[in-house]
Amino acid sequence: MDVVAQMKKFVEPKSVAIVGVPRSPMVIHGMAIDVLTNLINYGYQGKIYPIHPKTSEVRGLKTYATIADAPGDIDLAVINLPRELVPGVVKECVDKGIKAVTIVTQGFTDADDEKGKQLQREIDEVIRGTDTKVLGPNTFGTANAYIKFSSSYAAAEMEEVPVGLVCQSGPFFAGVGNLKLLGKGIDLGNGTDIHFGDALEYFEQDADTKVLAMHIEGMKDASGFLKQVGQVARKKPVVVLKTGRTEQGARAAQSHTGSLTGKNEIWDAAFKQAGVIKVNDVEEFGDTVKAFYTLPLMKGRRIGVVTTTGGFGVMGVDACQRSGLEVAKLSPTTVNRLSAIYPSWQNACNPADVWPASLVGKKPLFEVLDVSVRALLDDLGVDAVLCITGAVFTHDLLQLIEGVTKSHPDKPLVFCLIGPCKDGVKNKLEGSGNILTFSSPDRAIMTLGHLADYSESCVRC
Amino acid sequence: MDVVAQMKKFVEPKSVAIVGVPRSPMVIHGMAIDVLTNLINYGYQGKIYPIHPKTSEVRGLKTYATIADAPGDIDLAVINLPRELVPGVVKECVDKGIKAVTIVTQGFTDADDEKGKQLQREIDEVIRGTDTKVLGPNTFGTANAYIKFSSSYAAAEMEEVPVGLVCQSGPFFAGVGNLKLLGKGIDLGNGTDIHFGDALEYFEQDADTKVLAMHIEGMKDASGFLKQVGQVARKKPVVVLKTGRTEQGARAAQSHTGSLTGKNEIWDAAFKQAGVIKVNDVEEFGDTVKAFYTLPLMKGRRIGVVTTTGGFGVMGVDACQRSGLEVAKLSPTTVNRLSAIYPSWQNACNPADVWPASLVGKKPLFEVLDVSVRALLDDLGVDAVLCITGAVFTHDLLQLIEGVTKSHPDKPLVFCLIGPCKDGVKNKLEGSGNILTFSSPDRAIMTLGHLADYSESCVRC
C-alpha cells in the first residue's frame, strides 16, 4: 500500500475502533484521561467503534465485543490494553483488514525487561507481509484539528494551524507554553514500524501543512531520513528539536523510546546541509514554528531596531551579530524622517532610540515609536523590524500593528515587550496582525535569524 | 566623604529636592511620567521639596523657587531640566551643600554633538573638589522599596526583595518579565561620576541586599572593578548581564551611555575568575537573580529529575550536561521506594518517569509524582530536584511544595511546567514555598547550574 494512503488512515481516519475503553476513565483534576471522552468532546464526526467485551454501551455509544464484531470498514484501530494482550488484538486488526493500528500501550522496546522485547517481536511477526502498519507502541498516536480527531488519551490542544508535528513524546500534543503545535500531529512513540520517513512523506504532500515541527530523540536510518528531509525542506520549512544530544541524554532517550541518538555534531552538520532549521530548546521550538506560519519570509538579513530604551537596543544589536544578522544601515530618507522628530543632539541611526525625542522633545512617546516603526519598515535596506517597548500602549500598538502588517505584508515585524506583561496582552497583540511578541530581544532576534536562514536556503534551491 | 555615606544619600534619602517639576506631567496611557507623582503614589515618607520658579504649589505640595530657597537639609537633588540649565542647577546644589545630585536629563556624553560633551565638562568643573557627587546624567536614578522611594520618572516596580540592582538602563527598574529586581536600585546612566565601584561598595555593606544584579554595558576602570567585584562575590552572589558584547553592540552602547565595552572573551574569563555569575540575556538574568534569593544553595552538582514525560526528562538530562551538572545516581533506598510503585518492567532510575506507574499501574498520577519527588529529595546523593509536569494538579502541587520546602529547606526544588500554563498558576505555585517554575527544562537546569557554580566558589573562599 502506498505510504501516503496508509498515513491518511492514521491522520485522517473516517472511522476508528478503540480497543481498551475503561467503563470509568481515569480523571486527573477534572480531565478524563480517555480517548473516547476526548473524541466526543472534540466533536469528531467520523464513525467510532468502542470495543468492550463485557458491556453494551460506554459514554452513550454502542460497544462491540471484538474488532471482528464491528460492522463496516475501519480506517484506524487504537489499542490501549495491558501489553500482554496487544499482539493478539493486532492480529484481530490484521484479520479485519485494518491498515492502521496505533498502539498506545507502554512496555515494549521502551521497557527494561526481556518480555517487552519479546512482545514487540510478536507484533512484528503478526504484521509481517500484511498491509497493516503499526504506529508506536508507547504513543499518543495522531491528531488532526481539521477533522477534530486525536487518539491521545490526554486531551490534545488543537487549532487549525498549518503545522505538521512529528514527535517522539506525547506532551508536544499539548503545545509548547501557550503555543499550539496541532495542526496535525504524529507521535511516533517507539517508532518500531511507522518511522520519521513515513511522517515526512505524508506532511510533504499535505496541503494543510505549511511548516513541519519535528521532535527527534533518535532513529535507526538517519542517512535515509536526512536525504528525505532535505527534499521536504526545499518545499516547506522543517524545524527540528533534536534531544538526547548528550551522552547521558542519549541513555535517557534509550530508556524512553528505545532510540539510537547518534553524535550531536554529525546531526548539526547534517541538518545544516539539509536546510533544516535546528533549535535548541522547547521555547525556541515553539517560537520558530509559529514564526514560520505567522511572519513573511525575509528578503535579506538586515534588521532595523526601534526601541524605547537604548539599553535593550544594545542587546538587540548583540543578538543580531550572534544570529548572523546585520544591523541595517538606514537610507537618507529614513534618517531624515527620524531626524525630523529627534532632538538636535541625537543622530538618527539604527537602533532608533525613541526615548530622547519624547523626554527631551516633549513628543508623545507612542507617536515617535509609530513614526519610527513605519520609517524603518518603509526603508528598502531593512528586511525586518524589531520593536522594543513596554506593553503600556496596548490600544495604540494594536492599531499600529493592524495598519503596518497590511501595508508591509512582506516584511516581518516582531516585538520585544519589556517589563510586566500579562499573557492576555501578548495574545491580543499577536491577534491583531501577523506579528510575534517576545520577552527578550535575544529570543526575538534568534527567531528572525531562523527565518533569514530558511529564506536564504529557499533562494538557493 | 566616605563612599557608603554618600551612596546612602542617593539610595536612602530622608529628603529630596526635585528640580524640573512640570505643572502637568506627561501621561502615557494613564501613567504619569513624573518623579513627584510617583513619590506620592509610592507613599514615600521623606521630605519632598519641589522646585518651581513660577508656581507656589504642584500636586498639592508647596514649591520653592530655587534650591537655595528650600528650607532644611536636602539629602538628594533630582534634576530633570533641559540640558543647558543643568550645570547651573548643579552649582546651586553644591552651594546648598547637597552631597547627592541625580541628573535625569539626557544629552551629555550620550549625545552625538559637541555641546553635550561641553556641558558634561561644565558639570565636572562645578563639582570638582567638592563633596557633591553626581549620578548620571541620563539615568532613572535610584530606587529603594524599603523606604518607598524612587527618582525614576517612570513608575518603578518595587517590592522588598533582597536584590541590589545596578544598571545602565532604566527599564530594569520595571523588572524583567514579571520578576521584580527592586529591592534597591542604582541606574548609573552615563556613569560620569558615580561608578560601578561606588554601587558595589554600597551594596556590599547593605544588610537588606542578599544578591547583586548588575547590568553592565561598559566602564572605564574595568580592572579595578573586577578586583572589587571579586571581593563582593565572596560575600554575596553577583549576577552580571554584560551587554555591548559584539562589535556592533559596543558601538550601540557607545551611543547609548558613552561606555567603553571591551573584549567579550576577556570579560568572560575575568568574571569566572572573580566568582561572578555571568548570564546571557534578560530572562536568564531575572531567573538567576530570583533563584539566589528564593532557593537554598546547593551542596553539590547532582540533579534528580522527576517527570511525567520521558521526552522532557531526556531534555533535562541534556541540559544537565550542558550546565556541568551531574545526573544523580539514586541510592538503593530511593530505587526501592520508586520500584514499589513502578510497573514490573520499569527500572527505577534518574530521570524518574512517573507516567508508566500511572498509565500501566493505574495509580493516580499525582500520587506517583508526589512519592517520587519526596524520594529524590530524601536521597543524600541528590543535591537538587527538577520536577517536570503539566500544571493540572495546581492544588496538589501547592500542598506538595508547602510540605517539602519545609522538610527539605536546604535542597533546591524547581519545576518545569509543560503545556498551557497561565501566569496566575505560576505565581500561585511560587507563592506556596521556596521554589521556582520555568517553561523549559533547559532554563530550569541552567538556573540550577548557576546556583551550583556559586555554591562551589563559596566553598573555595
Side-chain angles (χ1 to χ4, degrees), chain A residues 29 106 111-113 153 169 171 244-246 248-249 256 283 309-311 314 317-318 345 347 355-356 393 396 439 443, chain B residues 28-29 106 111-113 153 169 171 244-246 248-249 256 283 309-311 314 317-318 345 347 355-356 396 439 443:
Chain A
H29 291 262
Q106 299 189 307
D112 299 307
D113 65 353
Y153 47 84
S169 185
R245 293 174 64 80
T246 61
Q248 288 181 317
H256 175 228
E283 288 182 304
T309 151
V314 172
V317 170
D318 277 348
W345 54 259
N347 289 344
W355 199 238
F393 317 102
D396 291 331
S439 47
R443 278 179 64 184
Chain B
I28 299 183
H29 290 260
Q106 298 188 307
D112 298 307
D113 65 353
Y153 47 83
S169 184
R245 292 175 65 80
T246 62
Q248 289 181 316
H256 175 228
E283 288 181 303
T309 153
V314 173
V317 170
D318 277 349
W345 53 260
N347 290 345
W355 199 238
D396 290 332
S439 47
R443 279 177 64 184

Side-chain angles (χ1 to χ4, degrees), chain B residues 287-413:
Chain B
D287 288 344
T288 307
V289 169
K290 188 161 186 184
F292 276 112
Y293 71 79
T294 304
L295 304 174
L297 290 181
M298 282 168 68
K299 305 247 183 314
R301 309 186 71 86
R302 299 163 303 178
I303 307 295
V305 180
V306 175
T307 180
T308 56
T309 153
F312 277 63
V314 173
M315 296 175 209
V317 170
D318 277 349
C320 279
Q321 197 151 331
R322 272 201 292 271
S323 289
L325 296 172
E326 293 161 30
V327 179
K329 188 170 161 22
L330 304 182
S331 75
T333 308
T334 308
V335 168
N336 287 341
R337 285 171 73 179
L338 296 178
S339 296
I341 50 171
Y342 276 10
S344 62
W345 53 260
Q346 186 189 8
N347 290 345
C349 62
N350 184 17
D353 183 351
V354 302
W355 199 238
S358 184
L359 192 70
V360 181
K362 305 291 181 202
K363 295 189 176 62
L365 183 57
F366 182 77
E367 199 176 299
V368 189
L369 190 80
D370 187 275
V371 168
S372 306
V373 168
R374 288 172 197 274
L376 266 65
L377 281 172
D378 285 343
D379 193 318
L380 294 175
V382 172
D383 300 308
V385 171
L386 164 63
C387 176
I388 302 169
T389 174
V392 287
F393 318 101
T394 315
H395 180 72
D396 290 332
L397 281 177
L398 289 173
Q399 289 199 310
L400 170 65
I401 291 166
E402 212 174 309
V404 298
T405 53
K406 272 185 198 144
S407 60
H408 297 83
D410 56 348
K411 221 173 253 194
L413 171 62

